[in-house]
Amino acid sequence: MADLTPISSWTSDDVQHFARRAGFGLTPENAAQLAAQAPGSAIDAWVDGTGLDATLFADVLASRADPVAEPARTASSTPGSVTIPAEPGPHPYRVEEADAWRNNFSRSQAYLAFRMQYAPYPFAERMALFWHNLFATGWHKVNNASLMLQQYAMLRANALDGFDDLLVLVSKDPAMAIWLDSVQNNAAGSSVPNENYAREVMELYSLGADNGYSQNDITQLARALSGWSFTVPAADAITDPTDPSRRVVGKGNFRVYDGTANPDPYLWNLQQRATLSSMHGSGSITFLDRTFDVRTPPAGMAPGEDALRSIVTSRGAQCAAFLAKRLLVHFVTARFTTKDLSDVASMIQSSQFDLRAVLKTLLKSRWFFDAANRFALAEGPVSWSVRAARALGYDLAAADALSPKGFPAWALVVTAFDQAGMKLLDPNGPNGWSEDDAWLNSGTIRYRTRIAAAVALAEQSATGTPSVTYTLFPTDVARWFPTPPATARAVLDRLVALLQPAPLPASVGDAWLKAVWPSTFAWDPASADTQTRTRQLAYLVLCSPAGQLY
């Protein structure tokens, strides 16, 4: 059974286990500081994000987070076009709404990696990554990086809401409306509704395949959600300065297309229309054994919203079990028993699907901290990369104080995320990515070793016109060691403490030290020899089987 009673005390090892799963790791020194606090209040503060100072982070993100030069954009032949010159780094990530015309996918991935590495509220970033996998939405169809980032920001901001509230927000989201064809869902008159979203919101997002609903329920929910789309204000139709004939949606407002006046100038596809199309159905439906009037919702709800929310109440047991499984595989273990799953699902139901309460209960529990659940999961490639960068890289203040800045060149690294198994912001389909050991195979491991080399070995890459050489992950070996190590074994011990792999067999460490540091030990972090040997050991830790677990 899953013992969900809270722990009453904890150690630095407990804190590090918690921080790996509920964030992206902590240094041994920071873990020791947190271990001095009572676990209940410390975990509450971590989950709630209280007592944080985001001033420097916000300033850096808004002005100088991206060290990689933005390439020039050449003017088209359209009258009024202008060439946008190259912008040397550091500069902001050019991915916000005003830059929607760029549709810069890889920089959007890099922007999220930077946030995961440096944001002072790591739990919000962890939860956004979790929900992005569950409510998987892909850039290759949405074809709008700005809308993708706005969906991700919505998941981050509402990650701990009631699950029904989050489900509604996702269902109203512009990127999701394009991704699963809500913008095409017309049930007016004799039109046949598009069932794509209605099917997936139950199969993939709330209940699981064939788990408490029928084909008729899919059809009826599609009618209830017909016409759910968005409109675009004039200020959010972003003109491409290199081709003024081209406009891109910067942001959208949820609307039900019901034939009424359009409060904004543009429809979702930037057609200019004063009246919304008539796409929403009428009459009553029977959905999950309950009857709803799709035109007359309760106060404060959109037409059809009450039917959508009823998934959590009409099929509470199935929804709780679905959500419990996803939470366990990401945060605790994939090797749970039927009783474990039942215990967590019951807790979710008794918490009335309050995600904040659910996560606090789970992350404080004796079961979460049980020895059997430590290093019991293979870590996803994005989280693994960010955690390695945090462990060996500069903290935000130190990186910002350097010239050139000490921030990673994430824009030159993120293409490896796809090859390592997770193309952030662009899953192949709405089922997202399988987790735990599904992350690991002979192909994805090969690309993890390349990321590990970039992080640990101070690799560089030249790009751009004119060519600029960037250190992909700026690091300083001397900073890894608050106290100079007296032996080669002490070097390895410190790297293990920083990178936190699963326990390594002593024989493995001995073999590494024999290969990397076979001669008499001498510590001189200013020497190329010491730096090379130390970096090689860090690389071995990251590439080891133990280094893939968290």
Side-chain angles (χ1 to χ4, degrees):
M1 63 177 289
D3 184 353
L4 298 177
T5 55
I7 59 170
S8 57
S9 63
W10 59 353
T11 65
S12 291
D13 285 345
D14 295 330
V15 170
Q16 288 181 317
H17 168 66
F18 169 78
R20 287 191 298 269
R21 298 285 181 85
F24 303 94
L26 284 176
T27 65
E29 293 73 27
N30 288 337
Q33 291 177 7
L34 196 60
Q37 301 178 28
S41 57
I43 291 172
D44 282 345
W46 183 285
V47 170
D48 294 334
T50 55
L52 302 174
D53 183 357
T55 305
L56 178 61
F57 174 73
D59 182 38
V60 169
L61 194 64
S63 60
R64 54 190 183 277
D66 188 356
V68 181
E70 269 281 353
R73 305 291 183 110
T74 305
S76 69
S77 59
T78 303
S81 299
V82 296
T83 292
I84 303 298
E87 183 180 15
H91 52 76
Y93 281 101
R94 298 297 182 191
V95 296
E96 301 291 354
E97 180 188 347
D99 287 295
W101 61 274
R102 297 176 187 265
N103 195 21
N104 202 330
F105 173 62
S106 63
R107 299 279 175 152
S108 297
Q109 294 176 303
Y111 166 84
L112 293 180
F114 181 93
R115 289 191 63 104
M116 288 181 231
Q117 182 177 1
Y118 291 118
Y121 186 11
F123 190 65
E125 302 301 325
R126 168 62 72 177
M127 288 304 301
L129 184 64
F130 168 77
W131 290 123
H132 172 53
N133 190 7
L134 195 154
F135 297 116
T137 307
W139 172 83
H140 67 269
K141 181 176 178 180
V142 177
N143 195 28
N144 187 311
S146 179
L147 291 184
M148 290 298 304
L149 286 179
Q150 286 169 43
Q151 183 194 78
Y152 202 98
M154 177 271 293
L155 295 174
R156 181 190 301 115
N158 299 279
L160 299 175
D161 289 357
F163 185 63
D164 60 330
D165 294 329
L166 184 59
L167 200 61
V168 169
L169 288 171
V170 169
S171 303
K172 294 178 176 180
D173 176 72
M176 181 62 78
I178 297 171
W179 173 239
L180 288 180
D181 305 316
S182 293
V183 293
Q184 309 289 350
N185 184 10
N186 184 355
S190 60
S191 298
V192 178
N194 184 305
E195 298 178 353
N196 202 12
Y197 185 72
R199 176 179 296 105
E200 306 299 19
V201 77
M202 291 187 283
E203 178 177 331
L204 299 178
Y205 300 159
S206 62
L207 296 176
D210 303 319
N211 190 25
Y213 63 92
S214 66
Q215 174 58 44
N216 184 63
D217 289 317
I218 294 171
T219 301
Q220 295 302 297
L221 184 59
R223 286 187 60 207
L225 303 182
S226 57
W228 279 38
S229 185
F230 63 95
T231 58
V232 182
D236 297 316
I238 308 300
T239 299
D240 180 351
T242 69
D243 181 1
S245 68
R246 175 177 172 267
R247 287 174 301 175
V248 177
V249 176
K251 187 169 65 176
N253 293 326
F254 169 74
R255 305 286 179 205
V256 177
Y257 281 34
D258 56 3
T260 58
N262 182 6
D264 295 316
Y266 302 105
L267 302 181
W268 72 273
N269 56 6
L270 291 180
Q271 290 183 5
Q272 196 160 3
R273 289 274 298 274
T275 304
L276 299 172
S277 306
S278 293
M279 299 176 67
H280 189 63
S282 60
S284 63
I285 64 165
T286 299
F287 172 65
L288 301 181
D289 308 318
R290 294 174 58 187
T291 300
F292 301 90
D293 184 337
V294 300
R295 283 277 182 176
T296 311
M301 294 189 192
E305 182 178 328
D306 50 343
L308 177 66
R309 287 182 180 274
S310 75
I311 294 172
V312 176
T313 52
S314 295
R315 296 293 184 269
Q318 293 93 326
C319 185
F322 169 86
L323 186 56
K325 183 176 181 180
R326 296 302 295 258
L327 289 170
L328 295 187
V329 172
H330 189 86
F331 288 102
V332 186
T333 179
R335 292 150 191 85
F336 50 81
T337 66
T338 302
K339 185 65 168 63
D340 294 334
L341 183 65
S342 175
D343 290 342
V344 175
S346 295
M347 180 268 290
I348 291 172
Q349 279 196 280
S350 66
S351 300
Q352 298 182 311
F353 291 86
D354 179 337
L355 296 168
R356 187 181 303 273
V358 166
L359 267 298
K360 286 182 178 181
T361 298
L362 188 62
L363 295 174
K364 292 177 185 178
S365 70
R366 293 176 180 174
W367 189 52
F368 173 80
F369 286 98
D370 190 279
N373 293 328
R374 310 215 180 183
F375 303 106
L377 292 168
E379 190 167 11
V382 173
S383 171
W384 178 86
S385 302
V386 168
R387 193 160 64 84
R390 282 172 58 91
L392 298 184
Y394 296 95
D395 62 35
L396 182 63
D400 190 43
L402 294 174
S403 182
K405 299 298 183 186
F407 308 130
W410 280 113
L412 304 182
V413 177
V414 290
T415 54
F417 287 169
D418 180 21
Q419 297 155 327
M422 186 179 190
K423 192 175 184 181
L424 187 64
L425 294 179
D426 200 23
N428 288 330
N431 55 334
W433 298 271
S434 297
E435 298 197 82
D436 190 33
D437 54 10
W439 291 123
L440 304 178
N441 59 53
S442 59
T444 60
I445 282 290
R446 184 158 59 100
Y447 286 98
R448 285 196 185 213
T449 65
R450 295 185 181 184
I451 297 171
V455 175
L457 302 181
E459 290 192 339
Q460 296 181 322
S461 179
T463 189
T465 305
S467 180
V468 178
T469 298
Y470 301 93
T471 300
L472 296 176
F473 290 91
T475 54
D476 180 354
V477 167
R479 290 177 63 93
W480 299 350
F481 297 87
T483 302
T487 64
R489 171 63 66 177
V491 173
L492 178 58
D493 289 345
R494 174 60 182 177
L495 293 174
V496 166
L498 282 172
L499 295 169
Q500 299 171 37
L504 290 164
S507 60
V508 171
D510 291 341
W512 288 350
L513 293 174
K514 184 177 180 180
V516 173
W517 231 302
S519 57
T520 302
F521 177 79
W523 179 253
D524 179 7
S527 75
D529 180 72
T530 295
Q531 291 209 20
T532 297
R533 295 177 192 274
T534 304
R535 290 183 181 279
Q536 287 173 344
L537 282 175
Y539 174 73
L540 288 171
V541 174
L542 284 172
C543 293
S544 67
Q548 314 317 307
L549 305 176
Y550 79 136

